[in-house]
Amino acid sequence: MTNETRKKHSRFGELLNVLMDHAELVSLEARFEARQALRRLIAIVVACVLAVAAFVYLQIALIAGLLRLGLTLGTAGLVMGGVYGLAALVIGLWVGRRHPKVGSPFEATRREIRETIEWIRKIFS
């Protein structure tokens, strides 16, 4: 084997070793990120369960407070339902409205399609 052939083989071997090192690094990072993602997912699920439990206990405390104020259970439920309904309405109207500056949905797409159709017509005329 000539010296030039050995250099080509050694360069190819070095390149192969670098690529294998990169593949190993990707594999290590992928396993690490998968463990981190699973850990985060578990934490989010546990936090959501605890938040729902806290909300339920808060509702019980609110009903108990309204009962102590002398309201009946039905009236307390109606008061809480009314408050939550009003809050839902306000949030829905506030978040659900479309900003007047953005125009109608897909306005830019429709404009671009019209311009493209005009351009195509000019080409084929």
Side-chain angles (χ1 to χ4, degrees):
M1 210 185 269
T2 67
N3 193 22
E4 188 66 31
T5 307
R6 274 190 229 129
K7 282 184 183 179
K8 285 182 182 178
H9 282 292
S10 66
R11 286 183 186 156
F12 180 73
E14 287 178 29
L15 179 62
L16 191 58
N17 285 337
V18 168
L19 291 175
M20 288 173 58
D21 288 344
H22 284 298
E24 184 178 346
L25 180 59
V26 166
S27 173
L28 286 170
E29 287 180 337
R31 284 194 303 265
F32 174 78
E33 292 300 331
R35 283 193 304 268
Q36 291 298 319
L38 179 63
R39 192 175 129 244
R40 286 184 193 121
L41 179 64
I42 291 170
I44 288 170
V45 168
V46 169
C48 286
V49 167
L50 292 175
V52 168
F55 181 76
V56 168
Y57 286 123
L58 178 63
Q59 300 314 300
I60 293 169
L62 287 172
I63 290 174
L66 290 173
L67 291 176
R68 289 213 174 162
L69 289 175
L71 295 168
T72 65
L73 184 59
T75 307
L78 283 174
V79 167
M80 288 181 59
V83 169
Y84 287 138
L86 184 62
L89 179 67
V90 168
I91 291 170
L93 291 175
W94 181 48
V95 175
R97 67 185 165 100
R98 189 170 179 81
H99 197 284
K101 291 184 179 180
V102 297
S104 63
F106 300 103
E107 182 178 330
T109 301
R110 286 192 301 263
R111 185 177 56 244
E112 286 296 318
I113 287 173
R114 276 188 237 116
E115 290 174 7
T116 302
I117 289 171
E118 295 277 334
W119 178 73
I120 291 170
R121 284 182 182 156
K122 285 179 184 178
I123 289 175
F124 289 110
S125 306

